[in-house]
Amino acid sequence: MGLQAGFTLPVTGQLAAPVPPARSSSLPGLSFSGAAVVGTMAFAALRCRTATTGRRPARRFATAVTATAVTEPPRGSARQRVAFKPGDELVNGAFQVTSVDPIAAYNVTCIELLHKKTGARWLHVDCDDSNNVFNVAFRTTPVNSTGVAHILEHTALCGSERYPVRDPFFNMLKRSLSTFMNAMTAPDYTMYPFSTMNAVDYFNLLQVYLDAAFFPKLTKDDFLQEGHRLEFKDPSDPDSGVQIKGVVYNEMKGAMGSSAARFGRALSSKLFPTSTYHHNSGGDPVNIPELTWEDLRSFHANSYHPSNARFYTYGDLPLEETLAKAQELALGRFEARDVSALDVANEVRYTEPVRLETTVPEDAVVTDPTKQTTVSTAWLLVNQIEESDSLDSFALSVASNLLLDGPQAVFYEALIEPGWGTGFAPGTGYGGSRRETSFAVGLKGIAAEDVAKVEERILETMERLARDGLPRDRIDTLLHQVELGTATVSTRFGLNVGMGVMSLFVHGGDALRPLRVTEKAAQLVEKLDADPNFWQDLFRRRFVENAHRVTVVANPDKEYDAKLESEEAEKMMQKSAALSEGEKKIIAAEAEALKAAQEAATDPEVLPTLTVAEAVPKLAQTYSSEHCQVAGVPTQYDFQPTNGITYISAVFDISKLPDRLVPYLPLFTRFLDELGTKQRDFKELAEAMKGSTGGISAGVGATPSLADPDDCKLELSISSHALDRNVSTMFDLLEEVILGASWTGQDARLQMLLKRRAAAAGASISSGGLGYAQSRATSLLRAEAALDERMGGLPHVAELQRLVRQDAIDEVSSALVEIASHVFSSSAVSRCRLVAQKEAMPNAEKQLARFLEAMPSQKEAAGTGPSLGEVVSNFSSPEAERAFVAVPTQTNYCALALRTVPYAHPDAAPLYLLGQAMSTCFLHKEIREKGGAYGGGSSAIPTSGTFMFTSYRDPNSTATLDRFEEAIKWAATEGSLSARDVEEAHLRAFKNLDAPRAPSARGASLFSAGLDDASRQLFRDRLLACTAETLREVAERHLLGNNNSAAAIVGNASAVPVTHGVDGWTVLGPDGRPLVPA
């Protein structure tokens, strides 16, 4: 669906097991950009919550299907170690080991196997990590943009041969303690990954996933629901005209609704003129209605076969047991097949550069209407299958970082600093996730007359690189980031590797590429030492002499979405007029059949499940923290196995800050390390931080009291981390930045940063509609949310535009100086936190003390007006409000928030559980299956005392708010929820609460929110005590008839369903101004 968003270092991913190994990962090319991969959830956390569970499971579990207890095999470091060698045969000769590769850098052993009968390939990563992963992927190579691969990914999960129930996937979300469940469609493959800590759960999910992938039902009803269908506007009137509905259809309307998505798609299509990458694998809404049910079934039959499959497993469970299950449940039923027709052919290379001019939607808010053009130049580069032995792809990913990352980067200086545009163009970076890689660079937010200058500068820069190369010290700095990323311990190592391997594995390439980072880095250093012209030769071959170069220029069309809507309406009008009576009867019959299927009671008991009594520990996971004073400041010590990294957090009280400075706080935290210091300019500072730390981050927020969410601590936090050997340097840089930031004298730099920030915020409204809707709704209910709205909601977007339009550099600079003088003082430091291994803590404590002692005393300021603390303490929740924010998008994002009870209240836990139950038992069917939204649900936020309903990429607007109200009535009605529903809600709740935490995060909730062990255990006890009647009572008590609520919809500007000032509605434009009817 577009180019990958560039090379990012580091992408980390090791699970922090109770006794974690010295293993983690910095994996270039691993993360999928939203433009590159679409999925059943597509990372929106709406269709399925990407939940994680963080405890080693109890030693015995039972499934409801078999009702027999099973004993887990030895786990973790006590597991049975693999002792395979190439040529070994497993599972009665069904599998043959083809290679065994220990990877010392990550303390894992990789075993590749061949399924002899079908030719299926299997990669297993053996380690002592208890968060086991399974993934199966198929090459899926569409020849059009009907979205067949994407719609198949959805429908495959809607029922299968062994589990002929409606939607096994969603049912398993609430019958499992999975740490991850999803399915994703990439440009040339589709994959089905899951992970879990629980051994029984692992094999439960394994059989469901295998059956879904290889033996799905693919019914006509499921195709109509998930893909597309025609329905009458008035279901009872066949003469009312038809409209298109479908989950994927609406998902892709949302996905393709931004200028960035449309530009990326145009660039990808032009860069790949003949291969499968030319097409939109997720589906273009214009083309999706062309797909037939028969096309879908044929695509599955051709693509979802073991001969075309790649399997991946990871963790501490015995490999042979998984192989035996796969053989029994799926692979043993197939014969080998020739799947060479699915091979992705090499792209036909251009013999001379080509150019495309196109249009894209206008961003929701634009500061300068005369500068909205986007231009990018892209090259097709390395064939990773035919050039598998080449170091070029890794070197180009490193080069991409040096060309683009930070103010010292080559193209930052060449393109951003001249001030032509507001930022890099969408798709800028190295795209390494396809069979053939690419690099793109360009600018957005430029004047049309500057296009030629930008193109010329790009080519000049590439010629200069081919002549001069890259400075060696920059490479060394980047390699430090590789080392730091490799050492960073996170919770998703196995999962990230499992998704990262597939981009080459499905094409027969090197499956271990994500694990060869340190090996490739060493090879690169060796090459650089041996060949002083390495970079010059690389840039000459891959760029200067490369004729396969594409330039795309896009100009905004304010009516882009309206035209699409008009074209669709015209097609539907013509379709309606041409329908015969027989065709009308078919449409009516299909709609009736689908409705009946959606309403039909299902018996999910055929599906395996865990039980709360067996699978959920009664005691919450605890982490011991120590507390003492460092230089008079309360400090929390968390001794954790951080793999040689020290983490620091310092929190500053901002309650006395003048409230008038709040609009500038987001700029203060954003620009803290971007303007340079008294000792270094901003480029030198960026290079210094990159060479010795993981960066400096800052944030502002209100931390609610557990007893009263409106009683907030108002704080600014600063954090950083570094390898233990660099801790002293890290604190030096923190002190330098905090006490010596160049808030004045940097007018040109500050102006550029403001313009980029304003442009990014204006462009985010359409694609980030759900966040803005939630922020708007909750801001009327709680003081902390009101502060968040001022600093990150629509008011902040409008304020940024004002500052840029008025060129208010002096105003901003003065405000930033004033904030720094208030915040960074010895009296304002409220608490600190250190996370490190025991042997590293004394030095960390020493450096922290030195840092704190350097803090100056606060200077008193006169005539500052009311303080932030005073304004927040005087917050009062107004009457219920409903707002519609009209933006350029084809779908809607709906939110309804209700003020409820604080975390410490006895009803907070039941409300939290009710949110889980309502999502799966009522809203999923009403919002997604019937309504056609991509996602929707409900959730309680106990720490803020609110309850939230949401929908995502929703074709409906006010009708969805009606469904939210119906959900409340349903939940308050006796008999709506069963004991089984509550059991499943418990599993969903605890997979969230018991999420695995990286060493750096253990103890974080105590530090940031005051959630001590006793509070968490009491909340857990109250959860476990909940019954169906408990949930009904809290719904009745706190949700039914609750007028302390607010609703917000960020939605389609061409189809606003309400009028400003009528029936309590406020209608706003994306700039926050009321849209008053003429």
Side-chain angles (χ1 to χ4, degrees), residues 515-577:
L515 295 169
R516 301 196 194 278
V517 177
T518 55
E519 175 188 332
K520 292 291 185 182
Q523 291 176 11
L524 179 59
V525 170
E526 186 178 334
K527 278 278 190 183
L528 295 174
D529 290 340
D531 182 1
N533 294 314
F534 175 82
W535 291 118
Q536 291 90 325
D537 177 65
L538 184 70
F539 282 102
R540 176 184 54 78
R541 289 185 292 108
R542 295 298 183 179
F543 294 100
V544 175
E545 296 176 357
N546 184 353
H548 196 106
R549 187 177 83 226
V550 169
T551 298
V552 174
V553 180
N555 290 297
D557 182 351
K558 191 172 185 178
E559 303 300 319
Y560 192 97
D561 289 314
K563 289 176 181 177
L564 288 176
E565 297 277 356
S566 178
E567 290 171 6
E568 180 182 316
E570 178 64 26
K571 288 180 181 178
M572 291 301 99
M573 187 180 302
Q574 295 175 2
K575 182 74 173 177
S576 299

Side-chain angles (χ1 to χ4, degrees), residues 143-163:
V143 296
N144 53 44
S145 294
T146 60
V148 59
H150 185 193
I151 294 171
L152 175 57
E153 171 226 306
H154 278 241
T155 52
L157 299 171
C158 289
S160 63
E161 177 184 289
R162 188 181 177 94
Y163 306 107

